[in-house]
Amino acid sequence: MEIITSGQYDLIYNAFSFAFATLAAATIFFWLGRSQVAPQYKSAMTITGLVTFIAAYHYFRIFESWGAAYDVSDGVVTTTGYAFNQAYRYVDWFLTVPLLLVELILVMGLSRSETISRALRLGILAALMIALGYPGEVAETVTARWIWGIASMIPFLWIVYELFAGLSKSIASQPEDARGLVKAARYVVVGSWAFYPVVYFAGAVGLDSAAATVIVEVGYTIADITAKAVFGVLIFMIAQRKSASYFESHKAPVEKAAVRPTA
Amino acid sequence: MEIITSGQYDLIYNAFSFAFATLAAATIFFWLGRSQVAPQYKSAMTITGLVTFIAAYHYFRIFESWGAAYDVSDGVVTTTGYAFNQAYRYVDWFLTVPLLLVELILVMGLSRSETISRALRLGILAALMIALGYPGEVAETVTARWIWGIASMIPFLWIVYELFAGLSKSIASQPEDARGLVKAARYVVVGSWAFYPVVYFAGAVGLDSAAATVIVEVGYTIADITAKAVFGVLIFMIAQRKSASYFESHKAPVEKAAVRPTA
């Protein structure tokens, strides 16, 4: 692994710690938020929190692996001989990216058969996208990075097509209050995901390797926080707005009881 | 890093441990308190606990980093060559200071559009304030510390203006028994925050560096506990007082049942 400056080391180190704190905090926020949504959206909130939980775990491991790969003493960075484990990211994405799409489908409250078929199709495409990207990430040659990267773009573009063409009718049937947020959530998915290939190919365009390392690690970190925590806040807001009518019609038994005698 | 005495080392070491314990305990208090407030204030309590959770995490890291930076043996302090990571504080503030303002806005129970616009504006100003302070904190020269510090004061003063001029009308519309507490919370924000620039500039007025380190580390610690844990207790008290009428009208069905026969 190429040697980086202590400023570059610190930037990446602090970005990993920042990601861990943000994702762990987001997890608690989503799980506590389960009590603030109607029963049919509780699974969406559970999964939203699972995504950030899994990511927080992996950022903890990534942080530890980064610390173990380098020694910084008196401002001088040396490698320890232990490799930084890039695979943690792919293991994370392999789990979290399909779940991310499932949480979006669940919060839309589609019919049971549509929920299952869309969640399965999007989940499998997402897993395939990650599985195809990994060989390129660890490839020795730039050519291999390009080939696997482009192969991985096929399921990615299919997912984008599904989200924009496939889901349009379902989005039109969302309550007016929530429609704008569902559309925004879709853009956060595609926008933050579009960032991953940019970062991925930054490792293939011949930047000097220390600068490429900073772009790849900090770039993936920002994309992960956006795609998981920021996206999750949108899912929570959608679930809350769609729950308003449920809570309106399930007010405390008191008020019902008080009305009864006059009937 | 300049050498400090073992008494100075211990004071800072114990202050960090104290902050971790206080913030971790406050986190549990706020999250358990969610069940004691009306549904519309649950998010405020969740976020109040997130702020202390994120801060507790960072004090844990700060504590570890402090321990790794020095070796104290037979009462003699030597540096180990591993730098104390001052950036943890800024990463923490970057997350917690916007959230602190969001919890104050949420507990006020404003309209949805006013909540979103005020939370966004205050959150962005707070993030900007922290981002401008950091380059000065790690600057090599006193001049740079002053320049970044002063730049950071601009969003700070804007936030103070928003809290005092912008929120006045909203505070007047708070229920009477919560109004005093909301005003107090606003003073705790501004009062504890005013402490940060004092500590920050203590590093710029030419104190000898061991004394400056003690003032900066212990000072920031006291300010963090006040701005996060003490402030959070006020938020909880406000939420509880504002929830009284909700619980009054949602009393247990039992009491209503007892009334029914007379109808």
Side-chain angles (χ1 to χ4, degrees):
Chain A
M1 199 170 273
E2 304 288 322
I3 287 296
I4 54 178
T5 69
S6 84
Q8 289 169 326
Y9 172 87
D10 283 348
L11 179 62
I12 294 173
Y13 180 94
N14 289 312
F16 291 162
S17 176
F18 173 77
F20 171 77
T22 307
L23 293 163
T27 303
I28 313 280
F29 179 77
F30 299 138
W31 285 343
L32 290 178
R34 286 178 79 255
S35 71
Q36 290 160 265
V37 301
Q40 63 266 41
Y41 301 117
K42 285 192 195 294
S43 285
M45 293 314 302
T46 304
I47 294 180
T48 303
L50 287 184
V51 167
T52 49
F53 172 76
I54 295 168
Y57 163 75
H58 284 110
Y59 270 96
F60 180 80
R61 290 279 181 218
I62 288 171
F63 177 85
E64 297 284 307
S65 177
W66 183 253
Y70 296 96
D71 192 71
V72 189
S73 192
D74 298 322
V76 178
V77 185
T78 49
T79 53
T80 57
Y82 297 104
F84 172 60
N85 184 12
Q86 196 61 259
Y88 284 134
R89 294 198 178 283
Y90 281 81
V91 175
D92 177 76
W93 296 336
F94 192 71
L95 281 166
T96 56
V97 176
L99 289 175
L100 271 176
L101 293 171
V102 171
E103 76 189 58
L104 179 62
I105 297 299
L106 282 178
V107 86
M108 291 184 69
L110 308 173
S111 70
R112 187 194 286 172
S113 64
E114 194 181 352
T115 299
I116 294 177
S117 72
R118 287 197 188 278
L120 264 179
R121 193 162 57 248
L122 286 170
I124 291 169
L125 284 170
L128 192 65
M129 171 176 83
I130 306 304
L132 288 170
Y134 181 65
E137 184 79 53
V138 297
E140 300 285 315
T141 69
V142 169
T143 316
R145 198 177 177 96
W146 279 102
I147 291 171
W148 289 107
I150 289 166
S152 165
M153 291 299 286
I154 298 167
F156 172 70
L157 292 174
W158 193 344
I159 291 169
V160 173
Y161 172 79
E162 282 278 331
L163 289 180
F164 281 85
L167 279 183
S168 292
K169 215 195 289 174
S170 315
I171 288 177
S173 69
Q174 294 293 303
E176 204 183 330
D177 214 17
R179 213 176 296 154
L181 284 173
V182 174
K183 282 187 188 166
R186 208 170 46 159
Y187 281 108
V188 169
V189 169
V190 175
S192 61
W193 288 18
F195 204 62
Y196 291 94
V198 172
V199 174
Y200 183 95
F201 290 117
V205 294
L207 282 171
D208 93 275
S209 77
T213 300
V214 173
I215 291 172
V216 168
E217 301 308 334
V218 176
Y220 280 152
T221 303
I222 294 169
D224 277 341
I225 290 172
T226 310
K228 294 171 169 92
V230 177
F231 176 70
V233 171
L234 285 176
I235 296 291
F236 176 59
M237 289 171 74
I238 294 166
Q240 262 208 320
R241 289 202 188 172
K242 292 179 74 176
S243 300
S245 63
Y246 170 85
F247 287 117
E248 196 54 42
S249 65
H250 287 73
K251 276 230 180 91
V254 191
E255 292 161 54
K256 304 270 173 183
V259 175
R260 219 173 296 158
T262 69
Chain B
M1 197 171 271
E2 304 288 322
I3 288 295
I4 55 178
T5 68
S6 83
Q8 289 169 326
Y9 173 87
D10 284 348
L11 178 62
I12 294 173
Y13 181 94
N14 290 313
F16 290 163
S17 177
F18 174 77
F20 171 76
T22 307
L23 293 163
T27 303
I28 312 283
F29 179 74
F30 299 138
W31 285 342
L32 291 179
R34 284 179 81 253
S35 69
Q36 292 159 264
V37 302
Q40 62 266 41
Y41 302 117
K42 286 193 193 296
S43 285
M45 292 314 301
T46 303
I47 294 180
T48 303
L50 286 185
V51 166
T52 49
F53 170 77
I54 294 168
Y57 164 75
H58 284 110
Y59 269 95
F60 182 80
R61 290 275 183 218
I62 286 170
F63 177 86
E64 297 284 306
S65 178
W66 183 254
Y70 296 96
D71 193 70
V72 189
S73 190
D74 298 324
V76 179
V77 184
T78 49
T79 53
T80 58
Y82 296 105
F84 173 61
N85 185 11
Q86 195 63 259
Y88 283 133
R89 294 200 178 282
Y90 281 82
V91 173
D92 175 75
W93 296 336
F94 191 72
L95 282 167
T96 55
V97 176
L99 288 175
L100 273 177
L101 293 172
V102 170
E103 75 188 60
L104 179 61
I105 297 299
L106 282 178
V107 86
M108 291 185 71
L110 308 173
S111 70
R112 187 197 283 174
S113 64
E114 194 181 351
T115 299
I116 294 178
S117 72
R118 287 198 187 278
L120 266 180
R121 193 163 57 247
L122 286 169
I124 291 170
L125 284 170
L128 192 66
M129 171 176 82
I130 305 304
L132 287 171
Y134 181 64
E137 185 79 54
V138 297
E140 299 285 314
T141 69
V142 169
T143 317
R145 198 175 176 98
W146 278 103
I147 290 171
W148 289 107
I150 289 165
S152 166
M153 291 299 285
I154 299 167
F156 172 68
L157 293 174
W158 193 345
I159 291 170
V160 173
Y161 172 79
E162 282 277 331
L163 289 179
F164 283 84
L167 278 183
S168 293
K169 215 195 287 174
S170 314
I171 287 178
S173 69
Q174 295 293 305
E176 206 183 326
D177 67 341
R179 213 176 295 153
L181 284 172
V182 174
K183 282 186 188 167
R186 206 169 50 158
Y187 281 109
V188 169
V189 169
V190 175
S192 61
W193 289 18
F195 204 60
Y196 291 95
V198 172
V199 174
Y200 182 96
F201 289 117
V205 292
L207 283 170
D208 93 277
S209 77
T213 299
V214 173
I215 291 171
V216 167
E217 300 308 335
V218 176
Y220 279 154
T221 303
I222 294 169
D224 277 341
I225 291 172
T226 311
K228 294 171 168 94
V230 176
F231 177 70
V233 170
L234 285 176
I235 297 290
F236 176 57
M237 289 170 73
I238 294 166
Q240 263 208 321
R241 290 204 189 167
K242 292 179 74 177
S243 299
S245 64
Y246 170 86
F247 287 118
E248 195 54 42
S249 65
H250 287 73
K251 273 220 181 103
V254 192
E255 295 163 50
K256 297 284 170 177
V259 175
R260 219 175 296 161
T262 70

